[in-house]
Amino acid sequence: MSFKKLGLSDALLKAIDKKGYTTPSPIQQKAIPPVLEGKDVLASAQTGTGKTAGFTLPTLHILSQGTLLRNRPVRALILTPTRELAAQVYANVKEYSEFLDLRSAVIFGGVNQKPQIANLKRGMDILVATPGRLLDLHNQRFLSLDKVEIFVLDEADRMLDMGFLRDIERIMKLIPSRRQNLMFSATFSKDIKKLANGILNNPVQVEATPENTAVEVIEQKVYRVAKGLKTGLVIKLITEGNWQQVLVFTRTKHGANNLCKKMAAAGISAAAIHGNKSQGARTKALAGFKGGTVRVLVATDIAARGLDIPLLPHVVNFEIPNIAEDYVHRIGRTGRAGASGEAISLVSADETSYLRDIQKLIGMKIPMEIIEGFEPDPNASTAPIKQGQRSNSRSSAPRSKGNSSKRAGDAKNRKPKRSSEGRSNNRGN
């Protein structure tokens, strides 16, 4: 099937051709037609499947066919959970709308709001935003949402993980009840279906791949290792394998910072990306990683969500996640667009039950190895790490009291989160 057969306008086809795309991905083939028909859509698709074009292309088509309103009020609102994803979605909107008379803008926290306000005052048809900054600027009366025709909720599952449910509910009250709704999520969990029931009207449900399945082209491997030897092992693998671009996942922000320091001491260029990093630092780290000046990017789940890193060859789970579905999200960063990829997991004794859950979810036993000199501790407890418990190696420094009190304060204001990171600040996104 070609993009032309999907019913998109000539201006969009010209932009698609300029980007070098010829055939729509499965999620695009399934999602674009019902969106063009004006139907609500609930789609299951992970980052890297072409899902962004799956909602931006038909949204642009619909808006371009309509009447431009005076002063350019927001007609399409795209909500994303993270700053990085917002920036990437906005970049896609700009590229695909190159030959259309449509304006777009992006707003997110962590940066000065004045340039964003200036863009809003000029008027725009499409707004890409994170919840915190959107509500902030709306409360300051710098924008209105009463003309929204299309509402897109991207990565809805991560929105819930990050505690954005209340913000989403507030935003829903600010937009017209008569509108078209599009919701994209990596999984169709019970919570997602409950959220969808409150937003979507008789939605068309589409899936790009079977739910919660690992990408088949990814080579997966587990190394059993003592917790205190993980740092040495990952440095050995990167150095001896001459890996030049590696995305490493840790369970906590402190763990990411600590591992980066150890990498630097071993002569490996590394940068951390997590919720406590400023937007400038996160952007610089990602740019360095994509450009080759940063060899290793160490990230937490939430910070890495939505990162678009083409042809990433290696993903390492320094600590495997305690939520099995997050493993699928992590390894999905590699093995994209038909390319091969490798996902390595370093598993200590206390992570055994997590590994068991992951293998049950993906329906396969992951090949396991033990490297001489990095053997697992035969006396270590196999009891799983409790929620919020420090999961770094024994050389890690304790967490500060300030961070603990901040997490305690956050917990009073929203439901418990599955990730130990969560949102560091409601308005920082």
Side-chain angles (χ1 to χ4, degrees):
M1 178 183 288
S2 66
F3 280 101
K4 188 173 183 179
K5 289 184 178 180
L6 292 177
L8 298 170
S9 67
D10 290 340
L12 286 170
L13 293 175
K14 184 178 179 181
I16 293 169
D17 183 65
K18 185 174 180 179
K19 285 180 67 67
Y21 299 142
T22 56
T23 305
S25 69
I27 191 61
Q28 292 163 6
Q29 292 181 32
K30 294 178 180 180
I32 290 176
V35 177
L36 290 177
E37 293 171 9
K39 297 177 180 178
D40 284 11
V41 171
L42 175 60
S44 173
Q46 296 180 19
T47 300
T49 59
K51 69 177 177 65
T52 302
F55 60 78
T56 56
L57 288 173
T59 295
L60 290 168
H61 177 94
I62 293 171
L63 295 182
S64 66
Q65 301 301 306
T67 303
L68 291 177
L69 301 179
R70 187 178 181 181
N71 297 326
R72 302 268 188 164
V74 179
R75 296 166 59 203
L77 174 63
I78 302 174
L79 210 58
T80 72
T82 66
R83 310 164 193 172
E84 286 77 19
L85 184 57
Q88 288 167 19
V89 171
Y90 172 66
N92 274 264
V93 169
K94 289 288 288 182
E95 289 172 343
Y96 290 130
S97 63
E98 181 179 355
F99 306 107
L100 295 171
D101 182 19
L102 293 173
R103 296 179 190 171
S104 55
V106 61
I107 57 174
F108 48 76
V111 296
N112 191 323
Q113 69 177 24
K114 289 184 179 179
Q116 297 178 359
I117 293 170
N119 285 333
L120 293 174
K121 287 181 177 179
R122 285 192 286 268
M124 85 298 302
D125 305 282
I126 305 150
L127 180 62
V128 184
T130 51
R133 180 54 62 91
L134 178 70
L135 288 170
D136 271 350
L137 295 186
H138 184 275
N139 292 339
Q140 295 177 62
R141 299 184 179 182
F142 287 121
L143 64 90
S144 171
L145 300 174
D146 58 7
K147 299 295 183 182
V148 170
E149 303 168 19
I150 302 174
F151 174 59
V152 182
L153 192 60
D154 192 17
E155 302 212 348
D157 51 334
R158 187 55 62 177
M159 287 277 197
L160 297 183
D161 289 346
M162 295 175 69
F164 280 126
L165 179 58
R166 290 184 180 179
D167 283 352
I168 293 173
E169 292 172 344
R170 293 188 186 103
I171 292 167
M172 297 302 298
K173 295 177 181 178
L174 302 176
I175 58 181
S177 57
R178 293 190 63 181
R179 63 182 185 272
Q180 184 177 7
N181 304 285
L182 313 176
M183 182 184 296
F184 283 72
S185 173
T187 62
F188 286 156
S189 66
K190 291 182 180 179
D191 288 339
I192 286 298
K193 290 177 179 177
K194 181 179 178 182
L195 178 63
N197 288 336
I199 297 177
L200 309 179
N201 297 309
N202 301 315
V204 174
Q205 186 169 308
V206 298
E207 294 185 62
T209 57
E211 189 174 349
N212 293 336
T213 1
V215 184
E216 293 181 359
V217 296
I218 300 174
E219 179 183 347
Q220 301 172 63
K221 185 182 295 184
V222 164
Y223 288 107
R224 298 305 299 255
V225 58
K227 182 185 293 188
L229 300 178
K230 281 188 176 185
T231 300
L233 178 55
V234 72
I235 289 174
K236 173 184 172 71
L237 293 172
I238 292 171
T239 303
E240 295 186 359
N242 194 29
W243 297 350
Q244 295 303 311
Q245 192 180 44
V246 192
L247 177 59
V248 180
F249 283 98
T250 61
R251 199 176 289 118
T252 67
K253 293 174 278 192
H254 174 78
N257 290 337
N258 185 59
L259 184 56
C260 269
K261 292 177 182 178
K262 299 290 181 65
M263 291 277 187
I268 300 173
S269 58
I273 179 169
H274 53 66
N276 280 1
K277 292 287 184 179
S278 68
Q279 184 58 36
R282 291 162 73 160
T283 301
K284 181 180 179 181
L286 183 58
F289 186 61
K290 287 183 175 181
T293 57
V294 173
R295 189 173 174 182
V296 178
L297 187 66
V298 185
T300 53
D301 288 295
I302 288 176
R305 185 72 170 196
L307 293 183
D308 185 14
I309 306 168
L311 304 178
L312 177 63
H314 307 285
V315 169
V316 176
N317 293 300
F318 186 79
E319 295 156 326
I320 60 174
N322 59 332
I323 303 298
E325 288 86 351
D326 286 346
Y327 174 82
V328 179
H329 298 322
R330 288 183 179 187
I331 70 170
R333 314 311 314 167
T334 184
R336 293 184 175 189
S340 60
E342 183 179 35
I344 301 294
S345 298
L346 311 185
V347 180
S348 52
D350 56 356
E351 296 172 307
T352 301
S353 63
Y354 301 157
L355 177 61
R356 190 182 304 119
D357 291 341
I358 289 168
Q359 293 183 139
K360 182 179 179 180
L361 176 71
I362 64 177
M364 65 172 285
K365 287 280 188 180
I366 304 174
M368 194 174 301
E369 291 184 23
I370 295 176
I371 294 182
E372 185 178 355
F374 297 90
E375 294 86 354
D377 183 354
N379 300 316
S381 170
T382 58
I385 301 167
K386 295 180 181 179
Q387 187 71 20
Q389 180 178 337
R390 188 178 67 183
S391 57
N392 311 8
S393 69
R394 59 193 174 195
S395 61
S396 301
R399 290 174 177 168
S400 68
K401 294 181 180 180
N403 285 341
S404 298
S405 61
K406 187 172 186 178
R407 281 192 299 273
D410 287 347
K412 294 178 182 178
N413 297 318
R414 56 183 184 268
K415 70 174 188 176
K417 297 177 287 295
R418 299 193 310 173
S419 167
S420 62
E421 178 179 4
R423 287 189 301 162
S424 60
N425 187 302
N426 185 44
R427 297 294 174 256
N429 291 289

